[in-house]
Amino acid sequence: MTDAPTTPQRPWLDATLPVEERIDLLMAQMTLAEKVGQTHMVANIHPNDDAAEIASGRISSSLYASGATAGNERDAGVLVANIDAAQRHAVEGSRLGIPLLFGRDVIHGHRTVSPIPLGIAASFDADLAEQIGEVAAREAAVDGVAWTFTPMVDISEEPRWGRVAESLGETPVLSGRLAASIVRGFQGDDPGDPDRIAACAKHFAGYGLGAGGRDYDTVSVGENTLRNLHLRPFKAAVDAGVLSLMAAFNDVDGTPMHAHEHLLREVLKDEWGFDGVVVADWNGVGQIVFQGAAADQREAARLAIRAGVDLDMVSGAYLEHLEELVETGEVELALVDDAVRRVLRLKFRLGLFERPYAGRPGASNAPTPETREIALRAGQAAHVLVKNDGVLPLDASADAGSVLLTGGFVDDGDALLGTWVLDGRGEEVVTPADALRERLGDRLTVGDGRFSDVTLMQARAAETTVMLLGEHRSRSGEAQSVVDIGLPPGQLEVLRSVAAFGKPLVAVVYTGRPLDLSEVLDLADAVLVVWHPGTEAGNALASVLLGEVEPHGRLPMTFPLSAGHIPTSTHQRPTGRLIRADVDHKEGRYIDALTYPRLPFGLGLSYTSVDYGAPTVSAPTLPLDGSVTLSVTVTNTGERPCRETVQLYFRDPVAEVTRPLVELTDWALVDLAPGEAREVTFDVRADQAAYVGRDLTTRVDEGEIVLLTGPDAARLQPVSVTVTKKDS
Ligand code: BGC
């Protein structure tokens, strides 16, 4: 029998010492069992049931997942009361008093809910993304949550995959820039600030490439494509100081990501210098067994700790086996130490040793006018107008014609919140019915949430019909893949009948993914794609419909013609057989269908018209270490103001590896008054044309780069520059 370790002094509590020194002091006192405890994360920790386990120092952290705590966490104060009670066992009851870390999926808002991430991406607005993160952090912190599992930066070009809703779209630069802003919003300059929490970039890596769009499916991708595309937003999040990253469920070319030593340890930790926590995804360590790459949990634990997974989310494999694996020499202690150091670093950085009871019992985090204002701006920015024959904006005057508002989202607050909302409340949502009733009074008829023959009678009677179509929040998100990207059954049938009346018809599409909207676009006079807009959904819609604000969202993913056309995105690279419009009909590659995108990446109309001049550059050559200025004149040629998203793309016509035909590299949000012309300039640097070559190192080549500007990926005008070693 060994003597129980005695309680040491706690010199690591001296907050004036540097964090690394505090970690050293603490780790010097830790037993192997206590170290392993710091790598073990449980779900829904229970302050009573788990008291002994917490006090033994065998639990590092807890995730509060959907719908499960000791009570109904949606009742005010239950979550924070649970968290504080559990924390007390750790801080006061355990030998070393190491505080627990509480995580929760606060994805696009906590109580005040902003649009789903794909809707946030539609804003192309990095400042707004930061504000959304800041509000969510503040509200979550009140409940004692110290860590969230967002942003998701999996490159998303696969509409069948339900998780595109959680993503920031298909392009690495937009995704990376918004992710960096979201990280800043959550973490601020000092994540130890009581109003800030830690962020987590996920899911590293390649998760968006699951075969067939099926969630969790296998991924076959080469490292060049990973580096040139999929890893880039993660790198942006790391550069922005994200405190944690989550490993992905999938394998990459046969190696489960939770066992992927090359990508996790060699690339992320060694090459990029990431010093934060790599957390497993839910049971991700245990799942290596299901993936057939480990015989049992013991082997899974050995593979995962070696690969660089620091914190085992819920599988228990580390808790059960790591100690023995170290004792038998199968796992070096240094690997466990590295993981523990990272977990403790996160806890120190969050100020948990100073402020273990981080929540504020009794404080409210319900939406306020200020948080609603941000959610409203975000909701408006998520409204993407993809067609308008002139029916929008609706006439706001009191004596204008009658309007029917009908369809599944008219007054269903909950459905408007979108996927991954644990704390937002349907009853706090302003619905389209609420908002339009307030503005249109007697002019408005609110139809049923379900289409029926009454819908047709109402539409026949109304002068204008606004149909709310699309998919319920529960049809997108995790484990919600579909093979049919059309509207859910029944909706088109009603749309066809209403359209047959020949009266003004506006289709509003609530969705978590790009849908096949071909027939909707044919039948409706105006079409708005609005994702799931969150707490201020109704006000966002009403303000856009009535022209109180100009529509200014842009599509962050390409909308393909059909599911059979997937993938269709801006990632397309040139092939050896060029597509010839004359021979291949309209850019054909199939013999039974055309292949252009139904709605291109970046598309978004306004209530005015905007003319783009040809881009010019300040010099024909772009020095490797310098920049040129690209200018393009945009003119509002209509009668209403607008916010234009002026987009800049690159094409590298000759490189060591095939490069995308166009890749978004920058953009500017420009407000234009009616008739106003503005010269928009971009500072273009050679390093923006950097790419990863055949030897997997980053390079910038001399030679031509085509810069393209325009309102979306399908309407671009080029200008070339030559990258040179010397300024000439
Ligand atoms: C998801 C993660 C999420 C985690 C914790 C998993 O199933 O893939 O994105 O953060 O659960 O809730």
Side-chain angles (χ1 to χ4, degrees):
M1 225 178 92
T2 51
D3 290 338
T6 51
T7 305
Q9 296 298 309
R10 294 179 176 171
W12 57 86
L13 292 182
D14 180 352
T16 63
L17 296 175
V19 165
E20 298 307 313
E21 200 174 315
R22 298 176 74 185
I23 298 172
D24 289 339
L25 289 166
L26 175 50
M27 284 183 64
Q29 299 295 337
M30 292 172 80
T31 63
L32 179 55
E34 283 164 338
K35 285 180 177 174
V36 170
Q38 286 306 310
T39 67
H40 176 54
M41 179 180 206
V42 299
N44 307 314
I45 208 166
H46 192 291
N48 300 331
D49 298 353
D50 298 321
E53 194 71 2
I54 301 170
S56 72
R58 302 280 282 158
I59 298 178
S60 142
S61 42
S62 174
L63 148 90
Y64 277 90
S66 166
T69 60
N72 179 358
E73 65 212 33
R74 289 183 46 153
D75 292 348
V78 171
L79 185 56
V80 67
N82 257 304
I83 285 178
D84 279 0
Q87 189 69 295
R88 204 162 297 282
H89 295 304
V91 174
E92 293 174 15
S94 73
R95 191 177 75 90
L96 298 172
I98 303 174
L100 295 167
L101 170 62
F102 296 99
R104 188 169 178 81
D105 291 274
V106 179
I107 303 299
H108 50 110
H110 188 66
R111 275 289 285 279
T112 307
V113 180
S114 283
I116 56 170
L118 200 54
I120 295 174
S123 74
F124 280 58
D125 189 336
D127 294 336
L128 187 57
E130 183 170 342
Q131 289 169 26
I132 291 167
E134 197 178 334
V135 167
R138 200 161 59 228
E139 291 181 353
V142 168
D143 281 340
V145 175
W147 182 24
T148 182
F149 306 113
T150 206
M152 181 177 124
V153 291
D154 301 312
I155 292 289
S156 295
E157 58 172 327
E158 170 52 91
R160 292 174 297 182
W161 188 44
R163 299 202 83 168
V164 300
E166 297 174 58
S167 83
L168 297 168
E170 76 185 38
T171 60
V173 174
L174 178 64
S175 184
R177 208 178 282 179
L178 294 179
S181 295
I182 291 169
V183 169
R184 272 193 298 277
F186 275 100
Q187 298 185 174
D189 294 334
D190 173 13
D193 180 320
D195 284 337
R196 304 289 183 161
I197 68 176
C200 179
K202 69 188 188 185
H203 308 81
F204 192 83
Y207 189 26
L209 288 169
R214 296 182 290 267
D215 210 355
Y216 317 126
D217 219 306
T218 52
V219 169
S220 305
V221 63
E223 188 165 338
N224 188 275
T225 302
L226 272 182
R227 285 183 181 261
N228 272 318
L229 189 52
H230 300 271
L231 299 190
R232 284 166 62 190
F234 286 98
K235 180 68 165 58
V238 168
D239 290 345
V242 72
L243 292 171
S244 65
L245 251 87
M246 187 183 286
F249 281 131
N250 53 280
D251 70 348
V252 166
D253 200 20
T255 303
M257 273 312 305
H258 285 73
H260 213 302
E261 196 170 341
H262 173 58
L263 289 175
L264 289 179
R265 197 173 286 287
E266 293 173 7
V267 176
L268 171 65
K269 292 186 173 178
D270 297 344
E271 187 183 318
W272 296 1
F274 175 65
D275 69 357
V277 167
V278 173
V279 61
D281 201 346
W282 183 278
N283 194 31
V285 175
Q287 287 181 19
I288 302 174
V289 176
F290 303 147
Q291 288 169 295
D296 51 26
Q297 297 286 312
R298 190 175 185 278
E299 191 182 354
R302 183 175 63 80
L303 292 174
I305 193 81
R306 276 200 5 204
V309 176
D310 304 311
L311 191 52
D312 173 14
M313 186 190 280
V314 312
S315 90
Y318 281 8
L319 187 75
E320 196 150 328
H321 302 292
L322 269 190
E323 238 180 294
E324 192 204 322
L325 284 166
V326 170
E327 278 156 2
T328 58
E330 288 163 271
V331 164
E332 291 164 50
L333 178 61
L335 292 178
V336 177
D337 279 349
D338 176 49
V340 174
R341 175 169 284 276
R342 288 165 183 271
V343 173
L344 292 176
R345 189 179 285 137
L346 176 57
K347 292 184 175 185
F348 277 115
R349 283 175 170 170
L350 283 168
L352 288 177
F353 286 83
E354 286 70 57
R355 253 181 346 99
Y357 305 102
R360 274 155 263 170
S364 167
N365 55 7
T368 64
E370 291 73 35
T371 65
R372 282 187 180 275
E373 199 263 331
I374 290 170
L376 173 60
R377 279 197 284 122
Q380 289 164 336
H383 280 54
V384 187
L385 182 66
V386 295
K387 176 181 179 182
N388 187 15
D389 281 353
V391 291
L392 291 181
L394 299 178
D395 188 342
S397 49
D399 54 357
S402 61
V403 175
L404 169 68
L405 176 73
T406 184
F409 298 85
V410 282
D411 54 8
D412 185 350
D414 195 60
L416 293 156
L417 289 173
T419 186
W420 262 128
V421 170
L422 301 179
D423 301 275
R425 301 176 184 191
E427 64 272 20
E428 288 172 350
V429 173
V430 179
T431 66
D434 299 333
L436 279 166
R437 226 181 249 125
E438 193 188 312
R439 288 164 169 88
L440 297 180
D442 291 347
R443 286 178 59 199
L444 183 75
T445 302
V446 176
D448 201 352
R450 281 171 196 275
F451 294 130
S452 68
D453 46 357
V454 177
T455 310
L456 301 188
M457 290 158 64
Q458 289 171 328
R460 197 186 169 90
E463 229 151 281
T464 301
T465 295
V466 178
M467 285 183 79
L468 308 187
L469 306 166
E471 44 178 25
H472 189 265
R473 65 180 274 205
S474 59
R475 193 177 179 263
S476 65
E478 186 170 352
Q480 303 299 328
S481 294
V482 294
V483 293
D484 181 352
I485 60 165
L487 287 173
Q491 298 187 15
L492 268 182
E493 223 176 321
V494 184
L495 182 74
R496 286 183 199 124
S497 301
V498 173
F501 295 136
K503 297 200 259 185
L505 173 59
V506 180
V508 182
V509 182
Y510 291 85
T511 181
R513 56 161 58 81
L515 293 171
D516 170 1
L517 295 180
S518 297
E519 206 175 337
V520 179
L521 287 158
D522 289 344
L523 292 173
D525 302 297
V527 180
L528 277 162
V529 175
V530 306
W531 320 106
H532 294 119
T535 305
E536 284 291 315
N539 283 327
L541 177 65
S543 60
V544 171
L545 285 178
L546 294 166
E548 295 163 17
V549 295
E550 309 303 315
H552 54 281
R554 298 291 184 269
L555 296 179
M557 281 181 74
T558 306
F559 279 47
L561 275 168
S562 77
H565 290 81
I566 295 169
T568 300
S569 78
T570 48
H571 305 160
Q572 172 120 37
R573 305 197 300 260
T575 67
R577 288 287 169 100
L578 296 179
I579 290 172
R580 285 180 47 197
D582 52 341
V583 179
D584 296 323
H585 192 31
K586 195 168 175 191
E587 301 181 8
R589 212 40 128 191
Y590 297 109
I591 56 166
D592 59 347
L594 308 179
T595 47
Y596 58 94
R598 187 61 186 85
L599 298 172
F601 176 88
L603 174 72
L605 307 173
S606 58
Y607 293 149
T608 186
S609 46
V610 178
D611 180 64
Y612 279 69
T616 57
V617 279
S618 56
T621 55
L622 172 53
L624 269 177
D625 55 355
S627 65
V628 293
T629 302
L630 178 142
S631 309
V632 55
T633 301
V634 286
T635 311
N636 181 344
T637 52
E639 273 151 31
R640 296 182 62 98
C642 68
R643 165 164 286 199
E644 190 64 12
T645 306
V646 180
Q647 298 164 36
L648 171 65
Y649 295 77
F650 269 36
R651 181 192 306 150
D652 186 349
V654 183
E656 240 187 40
V657 294
T658 54
R659 301 287 296 135
L661 291 171
V662 292
E663 182 179 293
L664 180 76
T665 191
D666 205 353
W667 62 92
L669 305 181
V670 181
D671 291 316
L672 294 172
E676 184 181 352
R678 282 263 295 272
E679 189 185 52
V680 178
T681 58
F682 293 95
D683 189 40
V684 177
R685 300 179 320 275
D687 65 35
Q688 286 170 282
Y691 69 95
V692 173
R694 289 186 207 161
D695 65 356
L696 301 181
T697 65
T698 302
R699 52 186 293 134
V700 188
D701 298 338
E702 291 185 81
E704 186 192 8
I705 292 290
V706 186
L707 310 172
L708 306 105
T709 52
D712 59 57
R715 291 179 289 167
L716 297 172
Q717 300 184 62
V719 62
S720 287
V721 289
T722 304
V723 177
T724 52
K725 279 215 175 97
K726 280 208 197 86
D727 205 349
S728 52

